[in-house]
């Protein structure tokens, strides 16, 4: 009796949670394939009329820029974040906690404030020409690092230092032991972290707000600018396109490493 | 195929400079290791003979694993020298030392197959793939895991994993094999079996081996010599027989084997040379052989060691199967029957309780607590230990 009630509660919660997550996405998806400017209920039919305007240079160029920025910042975040995570996991020094907290500090500041301070900094240094992709990548790395730090950190928890010792004992140099033992084992954590870093960069508005050049915007900024003056279900089509794009990238990545598998432990 | 490899792998080992005994010596000279202010290993000297199986035995924190890690190169001594085959390797990194370790937690690479694990050291030594395949198969055969190359370590039982680790260590034919409590994660049956397998393999290959354990039975069964350690120092170095029968002091006596350690009073030199006569609590007089540096003066307290299995229990004072010797009457307070052996505790006085081992207790009615019993101490079994 008790367990049946418990199961019912659990099922209800699960359905509510799934629905809660799915509703916005379903709404966006639905908006993109119906004919009205403001979707009505009951729906008046299906239409692809908004897609013609979505798949044009006006939207594909910002999407490409976002992808490039996200890729570059994810790569940098991966490099710095993994190195930091390894240092934290293997280090014994007293400053470890402070170091770890410091690396996650960019998540504490409102991103808009970071963006503003970066603009102030480049103005002060008379380097406003850096505004654009270069600065975007640099600031997006800030919020990418904490994600990589976490996922790689969790991966490293499952990697027993004795494995590297065993490799050294069998004749591997320090680098080669890392390369052949630790690195392959932390790879799934690195993939997961890089994917998170890619997504937070790709969708970022606040950090990018003051840092995009007039003639080249990232996709979220372009969406924002567009909405200031008009509204069209084309926006939903653009959103669907970028979601599909990210899913494809995630799919490819998971071919190399099961993303949910970044907690390694003993391999099966 | 395997037979062919055996004959071709071993001349190669000989050509690289092995002595006639087939092994290489390890010498530790004045080794000292400190962690912060605590001294883990204190001015340690040890000479491991070529081809020998030497065990570092001691309680946790005695410095035995630290010593092993310094030999492997995972730790650098603060002072002293480590000579491997005559060469000072104290400052060399682990990958430059020709040692191979078998770890307590197996330490198999989880992302590699059994074959890749065993072949790892050979790949580091730039052997050809075809040669690696043959040597790996041979090593796996030696540890009884034929054809398991393709398995993952996670698919194997603990005992099998440790066998893979053993194969991974021996396949590179190191100058020294190092064992860091390799059996302590296994259950008793498996432990007893692997003890013998490791011992046989070591004898067959003739590789000098240093084995760390806190398990005295393991040490006694496997070793050519045992170094009993305490607080960073070696308390006694000797054959298992010497360690067991002539422990250098009460620490070694208490750590290795079951023992009755009794404090008596020396009343003078004994009936034979190298003995002293001791008055036990309860006024019995017992001659005891002096061990090591023990030279008690008349009237001084002295520690006596009596191994339980050297004593005899007599339920009637005229039992004809009991040998002559000092007979002490008392009362049974406890009977612990383990099947193959029983331990009977006999209280003589409050200060004198003797544990007596009764082998094969099934056939001969054991006494019950409360029964009167006599303990017979045959001549020559008592040892007087230095303080």
């Amino acid at each position: 009796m008790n367990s049946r009630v418990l199961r019912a509660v659990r099922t209800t919660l699960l359905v509510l949670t799934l629905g809660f997550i799915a509703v916005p996405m379903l709404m966006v998806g639905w908006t993109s394939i119906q004919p009205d400017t403001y979707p009505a209920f009951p729906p008046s039919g299906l239409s692809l009329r908004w897609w013609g305007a979505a798949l044009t240079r006006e939207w594909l160029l910002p999407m490409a820029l976002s992808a490039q920025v996200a890729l570059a910042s994810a790569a940098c975040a991966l490099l710095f974040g993994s190195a930091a995570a390894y240092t934290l996991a293997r280090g014994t020094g007293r400053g470890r906690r402070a170091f770890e907290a410091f690396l996650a500090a960019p998540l504490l500041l409102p991103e808009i404030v970071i963006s503003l301070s970066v603009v102030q900094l480049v103005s002060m240094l008379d380097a406003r020409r850096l505004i654009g992709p270069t600065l975007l990548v640099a600031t997006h790395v800030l919020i990418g690092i904490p994600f990589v730090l976490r996922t790689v950190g969790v991966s490293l928890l499952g990697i027993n230092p004795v494995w590297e010792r065993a490799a050294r004992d069998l004749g591997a140099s320090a680098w080669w032991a890392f390369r052949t033992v630790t690195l392959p084992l932390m790879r799934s954590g690195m993939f997961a972290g890089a994917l998170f870093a890619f997504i937070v960069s790709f969708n970022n508005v606040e950090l990018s707000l003051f840092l995009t050049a007039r003639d080249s915007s990232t996709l979220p900024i372009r969406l924002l600018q567009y909405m200031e003056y008009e509204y069209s279900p084309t926006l939903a089509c653009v959103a669907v396109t970028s979601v599909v794009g990210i899913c494809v990238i995630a799919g490819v990545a998971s071919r190399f490493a099961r993303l949910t598998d970044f907690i390694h432990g003993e391999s099966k | 195929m395997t037979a062919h490899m055996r004959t071709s792998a071993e001349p190669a080992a000989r050509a690289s400079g092995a002595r006639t005994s087939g092994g290489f010596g390890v010498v530790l000279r004045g080794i000292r290791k400190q962690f912060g202010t605590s001294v883990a290993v204190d001015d340690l000297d040890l000479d491991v003979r070529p081809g020998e199986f030497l065990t570092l035995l001691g309680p946790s924190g005695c410095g035995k694993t630290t010593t092993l890690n310094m030999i492997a190169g995972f730790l650098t001594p603060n002072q002293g020298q480590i000579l491997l085959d005559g060469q000072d390797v104290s400052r060399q990194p682990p990958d430059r030392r020709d040692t191979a370790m078998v770890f307590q937690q197996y330490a198999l690479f989880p992302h590699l197959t059994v074959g890749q694990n065993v072949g790892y050291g050979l790949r580091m030594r730039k052997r050809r793939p075809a040669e690696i395949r043959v040597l790996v198969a041979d090593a796996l055969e030696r540890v009884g895991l034929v054809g398991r190359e393709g398995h993952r370590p996670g698919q194997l039982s603990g005992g099998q994993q440790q066998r893979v680790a053993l194969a991974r260590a021996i396949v590179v034919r190191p100058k020294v094999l190092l064992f860091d409590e390799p059996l302590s994660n296994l259950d008793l049956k498996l432990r007893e079996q692997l003890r013998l397998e490791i011992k046989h393999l070591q004898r067959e290959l003739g590789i000098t081996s240093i084995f760390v354990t806190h398990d005295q039975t393991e040490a006694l069964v496997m070793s050519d010599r045992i170094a009993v350690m305490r607080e960073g120092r070696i308390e006694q170095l000797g054959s298992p027989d010497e360690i067991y029968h002539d422990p250098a002091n009460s620490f070694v006596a208490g750590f290795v084997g079951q023992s009755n350690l009794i404090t008596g009073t020396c009343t003078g030199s004994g009936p034979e040379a190298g003995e002293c006569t001791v008055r036990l609590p309860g006024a019995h007089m017992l001659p005891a052989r002096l061990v090591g540096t023990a030279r008690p003066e008349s009237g001084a307290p002295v520690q006596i060691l009596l191994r339980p299995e050297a004593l005899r229990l007599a339920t009637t004072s005229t039992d004809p199967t009991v040998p002559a010797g000092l007979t002490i009457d008392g009362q049974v307070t406890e009977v612990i029957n383990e099947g193959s052996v029983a331990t009977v505790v006999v209280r003589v006085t409050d200060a004198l309780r003797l544990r007596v081992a009764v082998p094969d207790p099934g056939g001969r009615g054991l006494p019950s607590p409360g029964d009167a019993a006599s303990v017979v101490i045959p001549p020559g079994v008592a040892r007087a230990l230095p303080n």
Side-chain angles (χ1 to χ4, degrees):
Chain A
M1 179 61 193
N2 229 342
S3 76
R4 204 177 307 158
V5 172
L6 216 66
R7 200 180 315 143
V9 169
R10 208 168 50 201
T11 311
T12 315
L13 269 178
L14 187 65
V15 168
L16 284 175
T17 309
L18 292 178
F20 186 71
I21 291 171
V23 161
M25 288 197 286
L26 289 176
M27 188 63 200
V28 170
W30 168 245
T31 307
S32 71
I33 54 166
Q34 54 78 54
D36 305 315
T37 305
Y38 295 98
F41 195 83
S44 59
L46 287 174
S47 162
L48 295 177
R49 59 183 284 214
W50 308 110
W51 281 88
L55 301 173
T56 58
R57 287 175 60 85
E58 186 190 6
W59 293 109
L60 292 179
L61 282 182
M63 214 177 282
L65 179 67
S66 275
Q68 285 165 16
V69 168
L71 206 63
S73 61
C76 295
L78 180 63
L79 185 69
F80 301 142
S82 302
Y86 188 79
T87 312
L88 281 171
R90 294 289 179 266
T92 49
R94 261 163 282 140
R96 285 187 62 228
R97 295 231 151 198
F99 180 53
E100 192 174 4
F102 178 71
L103 286 165
L107 292 184
L108 299 178
L109 274 180
E111 292 181 7
I112 196 95
V113 174
I114 298 178
S115 186
L116 203 61
S117 64
V118 171
V119 172
Q120 285 170 337
L121 184 71
V122 291
S123 305
M124 219 165 69
L125 299 175
D126 201 18
R128 291 188 67 91
R129 72 203 132 74
L130 287 179
I131 285 180
T134 321
L135 265 189
L136 281 173
V137 170
T139 42
H140 286 188
V141 169
L142 283 180
I143 52 163
I145 286 175
F147 287 97
V148 176
L149 195 66
R150 283 277 157 251
T151 55
V152 174
V154 170
S155 258
L156 283 167
L157 279 183
I159 300 178
N160 193 332
V162 80
W163 293 332
E164 233 174 86
R165 268 190 174 196
R168 294 296 309 273
D169 188 53
L170 290 166
S173 64
W175 159 248
W176 199 247
F178 174 77
R179 165 79 188 70
T180 56
V181 176
T182 309
L183 192 63
L185 291 170
M186 60 194 267
R187 203 165 49 195
S188 55
M190 291 171 66
F191 267 115
L195 189 68
F196 282 129
F198 180 91
I199 291 170
V200 296
S201 166
F202 190 87
N203 289 330
N204 192 280
V205 174
E206 294 97 320
L207 280 179
S208 312
L209 202 54
F210 306 125
L211 297 175
T212 47
R214 209 168 308 251
D215 50 341
S216 59
S217 283
T218 58
L219 185 64
I221 299 298
R222 185 75 196 87
L223 288 168
L224 193 69
Q225 287 166 345
Y226 185 88
M227 278 193 289
E228 279 183 66
Y229 300 103
E230 53 190 311
Y231 169 76
S232 149
T234 299
L235 296 180
C237 301
V238 173
V240 168
T241 311
S242 71
V243 166
V244 169
I246 288 178
C247 286
V248 168
I249 291 171
V252 171
S254 66
R255 279 189 64 85
F256 294 96
R258 289 218 317 272
L259 287 172
T260 49
D261 199 33
F262 65 85
I263 305 166
H264 196 281
E266 299 282 323
S267 84
K268 297 284 154 344
Chain B
M1 191 59 169
T2 315
H4 164 73
M5 262 331 291
R6 283 210 181 140
T7 50
S8 70
E10 268 149 30
R14 234 172 271 138
S16 67
R19 299 184 192 142
T20 42
S21 60
F24 300 84
V26 179
V27 178
L28 308 188
R29 250 187 230 141
I31 292 292
R32 182 184 172 84
K33 181 67 185 175
Q34 261 177 277
F35 297 107
T37 54
S38 78
V39 179
V41 174
D42 194 3
D43 197 24
L44 188 97
D45 289 300
L46 181 63
D47 199 334
V48 188
R49 297 168 188 154
E52 144 174 82
F53 195 113
L54 184 132
T55 297
L56 301 177
L57 173 68
S60 61
C62 73
K64 56 192 192 301
T65 298
T66 304
T67 304
L68 198 73
N69 284 334
M70 285 192 284
I71 298 171
F74 301 139
L75 294 173
T76 309
N78 297 111
Q79 264 173 46
Q81 278 187 313
I82 298 168
L83 305 179
L84 175 54
D85 189 26
Q87 285 185 318
D88 185 359
V89 296
S90 344
R91 270 35 184 199
Q92 301 244 349
D95 45 307
R96 304 284 296 279
R97 303 184 187 193
D98 204 358
T99 60
M101 191 181 274
V102 179
F103 295 85
Q104 181 175 4
Q105 324 145 54
Y106 322 137
L108 298 177
F109 310 126
H111 60 303
L112 301 182
T113 63
V114 166
Q116 289 167 332
N117 264 284
V118 177
Y120 191 91
L122 295 171
R123 282 200 299 285
M124 293 303 115
R125 285 162 174 76
K126 307 271 193 296
R127 301 295 191 85
R128 283 175 296 109
E131 192 190 356
I132 292 177
R133 260 197 306 282
V134 176
L135 290 175
V136 166
D138 172 59
L140 284 175
E141 192 201 323
R142 285 178 187 272
V143 298
L145 289 174
V146 178
R148 299 296 179 95
E149 282 91 339
H151 287 63
R152 294 275 170 168
Q155 296 172 312
L156 304 179
S157 69
Q160 289 172 326
Q161 288 190 45
Q162 199 55 295
R163 285 195 170 96
V164 174
L166 186 62
R168 184 175 70 174
I170 61 164
V171 78
V172 299
R173 294 295 187 274
K175 289 182 177 168
V176 189
L177 274 172
L178 305 174
F179 295 89
D180 184 11
E181 309 212 17
L183 305 179
S184 58
N185 282 353
L186 305 171
D187 62 49
L188 183 63
K189 268 268 180 306
L190 204 54
R191 208 153 63 209
E192 287 174 342
Q193 189 185 340
L194 269 174
R195 267 176 206 160
L196 297 178
E197 286 182 25
I198 291 176
K199 181 65 197 156
H200 290 155
L201 197 56
Q202 189 268 342
R203 199 173 289 162
E204 200 176 297
L205 298 172
I207 304 175
T208 310
S209 297
I210 304 174
F211 192 100
V212 160
T213 185
H214 61 263
D215 181 330
Q216 38 111 0
T217 315
E218 216 161 272
L220 292 171
V221 169
M222 299 178 81
S223 317
D224 296 322
R225 284 194 302 163
I226 300 172
V228 182
M229 290 183 70
R230 177 170 63 161
E231 289 169 5
R233 293 169 175 278
I234 292 177
E235 295 281 315
Q236 188 176 9
L237 175 65
S239 70
D241 200 52
E242 286 163 359
I243 297 284
Y244 190 83
H245 290 109
D246 293 306
N249 54 43
S250 55
F251 172 78
V252 176
F255 195 77
V256 180
Q258 298 289 320
S259 53
N260 294 294
L261 281 170
I262 304 147
T263 306
T265 310
C266 177
T267 61
S269 56
E272 285 176 43
E275 285 189 344
C276 69
T277 304
V278 178
R279 187 171 63 238
L280 299 178
H284 294 282
M285 302 300 277
L286 176 70
R289 202 168 87 209
L290 297 167
V291 170
T293 57
R295 297 288 176 273
E297 288 176 17
S298 188
V302 60
Q303 284 244 301
I304 300 298
L305 167 69
L306 293 168
R307 294 290 187 194
E309 71 276 7
L311 307 182
R312 292 287 180 276
L313 195 68
T315 38
T316 59
S317 48
T318 53
D319 190 336
T321 65
V322 172
L326 175 64
T327 303
I328 302 176
D329 298 324
Q331 192 180 34
V332 174
T333 59
E334 206 173 344
V335 179
I336 307 148
N337 192 346
E338 291 177 40
S340 65
V341 65
T343 302
V344 176
V345 183
V346 177
R347 178 187 167 280
V348 180
T349 70
D350 278 334
L352 181 59
R353 288 162 194 274
L354 292 171
R355 302 166 68 86
V356 184
V358 181
D360 190 18
R364 8 152 139 204
L366 281 172
S368 307
D371 289 357
S374 302
V375 177
V376 180
I377 305 176
V381 304
R383 297 286 182 275
L385 305 175
N387 289 316

